[in-house]
Amino acid sequence: MRILLDTANLDDIRYFNTYYPIEGVTTNPTILAKEGGDPLATLKAIREIIGEDKELHVQVTEHDFDRIIDEARAIVDYLGINTFVKIPVTDIGLRVTKYLSDRGIGVTVTAVLTAAQAMLASNAGASYVAPYISRSENLCADGVGTVADIADIFEVSGTDTQILAASFKTAKEVLDVAVEGCHAATIGSGIMKMLLSHTTTDTSIAGFEKDWKEAFGDTTLLKLITKK
Ligand code: E4P
């Protein structure tokens, strides 16, 4: 399962883009509002950090059909290739999705809470659907099960639409959707770190270093091989 970073924090994006195998960045109006400043400058800086080969998902802020289309085109012109326009799953959203995807603009249909919504978004031509996991689970619904249903429906239909699961609150939710055949997940910085860190990994590494040092002192294999 491919992993994207769900933030507009430039320090976090620089760090994770350097060390972790992320495939892109997702934002939404709330995420951009959290960082403050000039949202356009923030988005441009994100594109500069991740480069043109990685995906940047940006949500529209207009409301009526014509203005959303204009905004979507402006976003893609401003941020370049591999920019996906996030469109909430409403009736206007489906119409916009069909219009944009017919014209080669990648659409991520967002705020998806049910498999039915995902099916409609896929039929409208969405590149991605973004089911919200923890927002669903917080309502005692089965967010992970919804991803499993979407994966089944997409497999039967043979659609090219991919599942980009979002809104995670635990690392386990991320693993659970991966097991269900989710194509990609977008994750905040805290959960990204939790996916990697483990106390037994840390104590194992400390043990290797201690044993080596006790036997061989300050040398390393590089020093022994190159005699430098
Ligand atoms: C994707 O970008 C979604 O908008 C985001 O994951 C929603 O996350 P939240 O439920 O934590 O706000």
Side-chain angles (χ1 to χ4, degrees):
M1 184 176 72
R2 292 178 293 122
I3 305 283
L4 290 84
L5 190 60
D6 200 22
T7 185
N9 183 279
L10 299 183
D11 289 338
D12 283 347
I13 294 169
R14 265 186 219 99
Y15 170 78
F16 286 103
N17 191 55
T18 301
Y19 292 103
Y20 283 56
I22 64 164
E23 308 260 345
V25 170
T26 57
T27 64
N28 65 30
T30 304
I31 285 170
L32 286 168
K34 195 173 157 203
E35 299 307 316
D38 173 358
L40 271 188
T42 301
L43 289 167
K44 189 60 115 182
I46 295 171
R47 174 52 85 200
E48 278 163 12
I49 293 168
I50 65 176
E52 63 178 20
D53 292 338
K54 294 190 178 180
E55 293 183 5
L56 179 51
H57 297 244
V58 180
Q59 192 162 326
V60 294
T61 56
E62 290 283 352
H63 299 99
D64 68 78
F65 179 81
D66 291 326
R67 289 192 63 85
I68 296 173
I69 298 298
D70 287 349
E71 188 178 39
R73 287 189 161 129
I75 289 169
V76 173
D77 284 349
Y78 184 69
L79 295 169
I81 62 165
N82 286 317
T83 299
F84 290 78
V85 180
K86 291 176 69 179
I87 307 285
V89 65
T90 62
D91 50 0
I92 290 179
L94 292 177
R95 184 180 169 210
V96 167
T97 299
K98 172 94 179 101
Y99 185 93
L100 292 176
S101 57
D102 281 351
R103 286 155 183 79
I105 293 181
V107 175
T108 299
V109 173
T110 193
V112 167
L113 273 300
T114 69
Q117 292 173 327
M119 181 175 66
L120 291 172
S122 170
N123 291 353
S127 298
Y128 288 101
V129 293
Y132 280 9
I133 307 307
S134 76
R135 288 197 197 205
S136 174
E137 306 256 341
N138 285 344
L139 298 170
C140 299
D142 183 1
V144 174
T146 299
V147 168
D149 289 346
I150 297 170
D152 287 346
I153 292 166
F154 284 6
E155 190 170 341
V156 169
S157 70
T159 180
D160 290 333
T161 307
Q162 297 198 43
I163 308 168
L164 169 58
S167 180
F168 291 97
K169 291 293 171 284
T170 70
K172 184 167 186 305
E173 290 168 342
V174 178
L175 281 190
D176 287 346
V177 298
V179 167
E180 298 298 347
C182 190
H183 305 96
T186 186
I187 300 166
S189 311
I191 292 177
M192 192 78 87
K193 286 232 159 192
M194 280 187 246
L195 286 174
L196 179 64
S197 63
H198 198 296
T199 51
T200 302
T201 302
D202 297 341
T203 55
S204 300
I205 293 167
F208 297 142
E209 288 180 358
K210 178 172 165 290
D211 293 343
W212 175 271
K213 200 163 187 151
E214 280 173 9
F216 307 117
D218 282 335
T219 194
T220 66
L221 287 174
L222 177 64
K223 287 179 186 168
L224 290 171
I225 292 166
T226 61
K227 311 217 181 304
K228 291 192 252 180

